Amino acid sequence: MSVDGIGVERVFIGAGCNRIVNNVSWGACDLVAFGAENGVAIFCPKAARILTTLPGHKASVNCTHWIPSSKFAFKEKQLERHYLLSGDADGVILLWELSLADKKWRHVLQVPQPHKKGVTCITGIMVSETDVIFASTSSDGTINVWELILPSTIGGDCKLSFLESIFVGSKSMVAVSLSELPGNTGHVVLATGGLDNKVHLYCGERTGKFVHACELKGHTDWIRSLDFSLPICTNDGTSSLLLVSSSQDKGIRIWKMASCSSQSNSKGTFREEKISLASYIEGPVLVAGSSSYQISLESLLIGHEDWVYSVEWQPPSVTSANGFAYHQPQSILSASMDKTMMIWQPERTTGIWMNVVTVGELSHCALGFYGGHWSPNGDSILAHGYGGSFHLWKNVGIEYDNWQPQKVPSGHYAAVNDIAWARSGEYLLSVSADQTTRIFASWQNEASLGGSDCWHEIARPQVHGHDINCVTIIHGKGNHRFVSGADEKVARVFEAPLSFLKTLNHAISQKSSFPEDFQIDVQILGANMSALGLSQKPIYVHSSHESPERNVNDGLDTLETIPDAVPVVLTEPPIEEKLAWHTLWPESHKLYGHGNELFSLCCDQGGKLVASSCKAQSAKVAEIWLWQVGSWKAVGRLQSHSLTVTQIEFSHDDNLLLSVSRDRQFSVFAIKRTGVDEVSHQLIARQEAHKRIIWACSWNPFGHEFATGSRDKTVKIWAVDKGSSVKQLMTLPQFTSSVTALSWFALDHQRNNGFLAVGMESGLIELWSLSVTRTEDGSTTVPGVTAALVRRLDPFMCHVSSVQRLAWRKSQASGDCKSILLASCGVDHCVRIFEVNVA
């Protein structure tokens, strides 16, 4: 095996968005940035895939902001580099650089003088092509304003200078917006709002010196979002500025800032246009140097039925060839917790602002939108929701508006605790603390058009009421089944419904071989969620046509009535509304016996036994239970450990069971099947293997050697002698962080070569080559092993928090493998798939 010829490519990243306002930003480069735990994820809306994640934050990412943002897309034509600001819950703000030529990311700097508490909002404006002013708000009661000078030449450095820190008191601000004042006065206006229900306006020069100019009253609850338009020219050639604000009072207000001199000069024409129901109410006067601006309430928009979390002006469009003249559309996008986004525009004849477009998510399990954003060209709108999900609509109409939902990336919005490949590798199953189980698969029909594999979430088999900790897929013949364990004392068994089998058949129809055990006699079409969200009841094929009639007179959804799912065969990757409700699998069995919350599960290679463990602080509770697949009877209780068993794994021949525990010991049991429902087990080895908790273990797929990984930052390789004892073969060089995940892959049976994937608490992943040798010494076989580091994965490819599990996809063909897939999951909400190419 050539050590130099190992190539690793990123195939797929699945992740959900942090559930917080201001977390998402759509830049002028047509990429979307969002926080996924303490990482910043970048996704391309056109390709519907996450491109990369940016490591650097130590705390959860609260907000992101592109420079230039979509508002300044008309200024970015000559820019070769785009920049991104990200702020986290510790008050730290990082600046990133994206090179458009090679799509490479670089961490530029950390903004000095961080906030003492979490950053709540970041906004910025481009004063010129290289001059940026940005502001950040925080829970510490301050607003910091900075000037950023972008490099004018390739390879230059960014220059950051601190302009001012504005203290706003104990009632912190959660929304901020910046704008240049119309009329080229050299002044900048800053609007901020928060817990005191007022919009505060500060005026300052480009060098700082911000003073509190006035405050705008009218909202009756917290201000959640603010956005300035670019200056709008009126008929007489003067400019005015519009500010839109939204609040938890469910209302949206549009404020107008017009030069006092322009109002007196335009009484004839300007006032005539405004004599209507939309006549504004005059408010305070903002003074900026020698200029003054009359502020008035332009309009009050009522339409949402819950808190309005975000408002945003439609980005300007370029109106000249040189790219500096622009047109600011009179169009506002709002997003609310009532599960809708609305587009507001003034009516042509009266000027009254009206709701012209409403889109939303109607699924029962949605709890509303945290934010809405325009694409740079204004033909698409994106929302992010309570469930960490994205919702994208595109205007595909030609003569009239026709907003249609589009595919978007999806993933978990909490730590992903476990993953498992399907027995033939068609899909990857993951479980998470977000209380869902998800299935990701390569959609071959789409790949045949685009050339490369396109992975998507194709089903959500389990939506639960407890955090899910572990999962295992049942191997062997028969229908697709898995067992999951959550923060409850019961393990649950699920079986694939007919709708999923047909969807999977469609997804992988381009493959040359399809699993032989496709069950044409499956009588369950899908599953319904119970009212408490714990059990999932089957929907039978013969009764599926009755579901619509049953719901006709049910009226509106309430907490007491749960609408029926409508399982369908998917012919393209599904959007969130379908995933969240209509792709459930029915629960077939519950496995009772453990005294605490489930923690680890595994299935043997033959699909005959499942082993389970739970959280434990005593030897009695730390038992490993064995369950007979099919009858689901408990056929064994293995006692050895005194604390939680963290991972269990069967050997390749199913004769041995390995377990590792928080008590720093591993145990090896001999497993024998003595009858149909009878299993005998014997503890053959138990050893304190590490100085700290053992988090992970993995068997050699070709032998009885195994690896253990621990919090003590070491990985040790062991071998089981002829069923009687365990011998340590070697210890790998100490790692830089705690080892939290291991997975051993066999490359070559004859030479016994393989890869050991090592995942760490830092999020980094390393690949080691392991070659096992067995020499005959008289009547005994003496095993040996040689190891070498073959690849440290780039930090931009790895997780940004602890790796929870690693899993190689089993090779489809016998003999040497040229390309293999490695899956990983982590605390950073991400499921990742890598392709490892062996030269």
Side-chain angles (χ1 to χ4, degrees):
M1 182 177 65
S2 170
V3 171
D4 298 329
I6 303 300
V8 180
E9 297 179 3
R10 182 192 296 114
V11 173
F12 170 74
I13 302 173
C17 181
N18 288 342
R19 298 194 289 179
I20 192 166
V21 188
N22 302 322
N23 188 265
V24 176
S25 176
W26 197 333
C29 56
D30 207 16
L31 296 177
V32 175
F34 66 94
E37 186 51 21
N38 61 320
V40 180
I42 309 296
F43 92 75
C44 175
K46 290 180 179 176
R49 61 191 294 256
I50 298 175
L51 304 178
T52 188
T53 53
L54 310 179
H57 287 283
K58 299 292 188 291
S60 180
V61 176
N62 283 351
C63 47
T64 59
H65 186 78
W66 282 97
I67 298 173
S69 63
S70 57
K71 181 187 294 185
F72 295 95
F74 68 95
K75 286 189 177 183
E76 62 87 25
K77 300 301 180 185
Q78 286 75 38
L79 290 180
E80 297 179 352
R81 286 171 169 75
H82 286 231
Y83 296 85
L84 179 68
L85 290 161
S86 57
D88 67 25
D90 283 347
V92 173
I93 299 175
L94 301 182
L95 177 67
W96 311 86
E97 178 188 83
L98 169 64
S99 171
L100 294 182
D102 56 8
K103 307 298 182 186
K104 291 281 182 67
W105 282 90
R106 180 174 72 91
H107 173 244
V108 180
L109 55 84
Q110 176 177 326
V111 176
Q113 304 174 31
H115 288 286
K116 295 181 175 63
K117 293 184 179 178
V119 183
T120 54
C121 186
I122 301 175
T123 189
I125 57 170
M126 294 193 72
V127 179
S128 67
E129 285 195 6
T130 57
D131 192 1
V132 175
I133 296 177
F134 72 90
S136 60
T137 61
S138 168
S139 305
D140 63 8
T142 62
I143 303 170
N144 289 345
V145 187
W146 300 82
E147 183 181 37
L148 177 66
I149 306 296
L150 305 178
S152 55
T153 58
I154 297 177
D157 293 329
C158 294
K159 296 179 181 177
L160 184 68
S161 54
F162 180 69
L163 297 184
E164 187 149 4
S165 181
I166 304 169
F167 181 69
V168 296
S170 59
K171 292 193 174 182
S172 60
M173 300 291 110
V174 295
V176 65
S177 186
L178 284 166
S179 178
E180 293 181 274
L181 282 169
N184 299 318
T185 60
H187 283 74
V188 175
V189 60
L190 181 150
T192 183
L195 279 60
D196 65 355
N197 310 345
K198 303 172 187 175
V199 178
H200 299 267
L201 295 181
Y202 292 83
C203 191
E205 301 172 10
R206 292 184 184 177
T207 55
K209 302 176 184 175
F210 281 83
V211 295
H212 188 274
C214 60
E215 58 187 36
L216 308 178
K217 301 177 182 179
H219 286 294
T220 57
D221 207 334
W222 291 9
I223 310 293
R224 296 308 303 217
S225 182
L226 294 164
D227 192 32
F228 276 111
S229 69
L230 291 184
I232 296 173
C233 292
T234 52
N235 293 343
D236 60 351
T238 59
S239 295
S240 59
L241 199 61
L242 295 178
L243 170 68
V244 60
S245 61
S246 71
S247 165
Q248 290 180 186
D249 64 10
K250 310 175 188 178
I252 300 167
R253 290 173 180 257
I254 302 174
W255 312 86
K256 184 171 184 175
M257 299 173 59
S259 171
C260 289
S261 58
S262 72
Q263 287 197 348
S264 60
N265 293 338
S266 59
K267 291 249 179 182
T269 58
F270 194 81
R271 284 290 186 178
E272 284 178 13
E273 294 175 4
K274 296 297 178 181
I275 297 176
S276 67
L277 291 175
S279 295
Y280 54 74
I281 305 167
E282 292 193 354
V285 174
L286 182 142
V287 179
S290 58
S291 302
S292 58
Y293 298 85
Q294 175 68 55
I295 302 175
S296 52
L297 178 64
E298 172 80 0
S299 188
L300 172 62
L301 312 183
I302 301 295
H304 285 294
E305 298 175 354
D306 208 333
W307 297 356
V308 185
Y309 265 138
S310 82
V311 281
E312 187 175 288
W313 288 96
Q314 182 176 337
S317 54
V318 178
T319 58
S320 66
N322 61 17
F324 293 106
Y326 63 85
H327 165 67
Q328 170 68 67
Q330 295 279 282
S331 184
I332 293 171
L333 174 69
S334 62
S336 166
M337 284 300 280
D338 65 7
K339 310 180 190 178
T340 65
M341 282 200 300
M342 294 183 180
I343 297 177
W344 306 82
Q345 293 173 357
E347 210 265 329
R348 289 183 180 179
T349 54
T350 63
I352 299 175
W353 284 78
M354 305 286 288
N355 165 27
V356 294
V357 175
T358 301
V359 295
E361 184 191 12
L362 301 177
S363 68
H364 182 80
C365 48
L367 287 174
F369 294 148
Y370 277 135
H373 303 273
W374 290 97
S375 64
N377 61 5
D379 71 346
S380 300
I381 51 178
L382 176 76
H384 64 104
Y386 179 84
S389 56
F390 288 104
H391 308 262
L392 178 66
W393 288 269
K394 185 174 183 179
N395 186 6
V396 297
I398 300 175
E399 295 181 356
Y400 56 91
D401 283 358
N402 181 15
W403 294 86
Q404 292 296 321
Q406 307 292 309
K407 290 193 293 286
V408 285
S410 64
H412 295 283
Y413 57 91
V416 188
N417 293 323
D418 203 356
I419 50 176
W421 283 101
R423 57 194 176 218
S424 300
E426 313 99 306
Y427 58 83
L428 180 70
L429 187 73
S430 62
V431 297
S432 165
D434 70 3
Q435 306 184 351
T436 66
T437 301
R438 303 180 189 230
I439 289 179
F440 301 93
S442 171
W443 201 273
Q444 295 296 320
N445 284 343
E446 194 174 87
S448 64
L449 299 175
S452 61
D453 277 7
C454 299
W455 285 75
H456 297 277
E457 183 181 350
I458 67 166
R460 207 165 291 172
Q462 184 184 9
V463 177
H464 202 39
H466 296 287
D467 295 2
I468 308 176
N469 300 323
C470 50
V471 71
T472 188
I473 285 182
I474 308 300
H475 299 146
K477 293 185 178 181
N479 195 5
H480 297 264
R481 291 175 291 179
F482 72 86
V483 184
S484 69
D487 276 346
E488 54 180 348
K489 302 175 184 180
V490 184
R492 298 174 186 267
V493 185
F494 296 85
E495 187 164 337
L498 188 61
S499 59
F500 173 79
L501 296 174
K502 290 185 175 180
T503 296
L504 187 64
N505 186 28
H506 191 89
I508 65 176
S509 60
Q510 298 297 315
K511 290 188 177 180
S512 57
S513 62
F514 186 74
E516 297 175 359
D517 48 22
F518 180 71
Q519 300 292 302
I520 59 172
D521 59 340
V522 173
Q523 294 301 307
I524 297 176
L525 185 63
N528 271 321
M529 175 61 68
S530 69
L532 293 178
L534 294 176
S535 296
Q536 294 169 194
K537 307 301 182 185
I539 300 172
Y540 291 96
V541 173
H542 59 80
S543 64
S544 61
H545 66 278
E546 298 173 8
S547 297
E549 285 86 5
R550 207 163 48 237
N551 281 336
V552 168
N553 298 317
D554 281 357
L556 297 174
D557 291 348
T558 68
L559 291 176
E560 290 77 23
T561 62
I562 303 294
D564 281 345
V566 184
V568 292
V569 179
L570 302 170
T571 56
E572 62 180 3
I575 58 176
E576 177 69 19
E577 285 81 348
K578 292 180 181 177
L579 281 170
W581 201 248
H582 304 304
T583 59
L584 294 171
W585 288 19
E587 182 183 309
S588 60
H589 293 86
K590 295 182 179 69
L591 309 183
Y592 295 96
H594 285 290
N596 283 331
E597 299 92 336
L598 270 291
F599 196 83
S600 181
L601 284 163
C602 77
C603 179
D604 65 0
Q605 315 301 325
K608 300 291 195 298
L609 289 176
V610 168
S612 63
S613 70
C614 70
K615 297 178 182 178
Q617 292 184 323
S618 66
K620 175 71 174 173
V621 183
E623 291 178 325
I624 298 170
W625 285 57
L626 296 180
W627 309 87
Q628 184 83 34
V629 173
S631 67
W632 297 110
K633 294 179 180 178
V635 292
R637 296 167 66 173
L638 286 57
Q639 293 189 353
S640 175
H641 296 285
S642 58
L643 294 174
T644 303
V645 174
T646 54
Q647 192 172 356
I648 325 165
E649 192 169 303
F650 284 93
S651 62
H652 71 288
D653 55 8
D654 290 340
N655 291 330
L656 299 175
L657 178 66
L658 169 66
S659 62
V660 293
S661 167
R662 297 179 70 102
D663 62 12
R664 309 175 187 179
Q665 297 182 336
F666 68 74
S667 299
V668 179
F669 300 88
I671 306 294
K672 290 184 180 179
R673 292 164 184 80
T674 56
V676 177
D677 286 338
E678 296 180 7
V679 175
S680 68
H681 52 84
Q682 180 185 355
L683 177 66
I684 62 173
R686 180 176 62 204
Q687 187 170 330
E688 185 166 329
H690 292 268
K691 296 177 182 177
R692 305 289 298 276
I693 293 171
I694 307 176
W695 283 124
C697 64
S698 186
W699 283 102
N700 174 10
F702 288 153
H704 285 169
E705 296 80 26
F706 63 88
T708 57
S710 166
R711 186 180 277 175
D712 64 11
K713 304 180 183 179
T714 62
V715 172
K716 296 182 180 181
I717 312 297
W718 311 79
V720 181
D721 287 345
K722 296 193 176 181
S724 58
S725 63
V726 174
K727 173 186 176 184
Q728 182 178 343
L729 301 183
M730 74 175 301
T731 302
L732 298 185
Q734 190 161 30
F735 292 86
T736 57
S737 179
S738 300
V739 176
T740 54
L742 294 172
S743 187
W744 197 327
F745 181 81
L747 270 177
D748 185 344
H749 197 321
Q750 295 171 339
R751 287 176 290 183
N752 221 333
N753 288 337
F755 283 136
L756 181 67
V758 181
M760 288 170 268
E761 192 174 34
S762 61
L764 299 179
I765 298 172
E766 294 184 5
L767 295 182
W768 289 72
S769 68
L770 294 181
S771 182
V772 178
T773 58
R774 299 184 181 92
T775 56
E776 298 294 332
D777 184 9
S779 60
T780 61
T781 301
V782 180
V785 64
T786 56
L789 174 65
V790 294
R791 189 68 186 264
R792 278 194 182 95
L793 271 63
D794 187 308
F796 282 87
M797 294 178 70
C798 295
H799 293 273
V800 294
S801 295
S802 177
V803 181
Q804 295 285 76
R805 191 76 78 222
L806 293 164
W808 294 95
R809 182 164 78 167
K810 289 186 178 180
S811 174
Q812 299 291 324
S814 58
D816 289 350
C817 306
K818 298 300 181 186
S819 175
I820 44 182
L821 294 184
L822 172 66
S824 66
C825 65
V827 174
D828 61 356
H829 306 181
C830 289
V831 173
R832 297 169 189 263
I833 299 176
F834 307 95
E835 185 176 40
V836 180
N837 298 299
V838 183

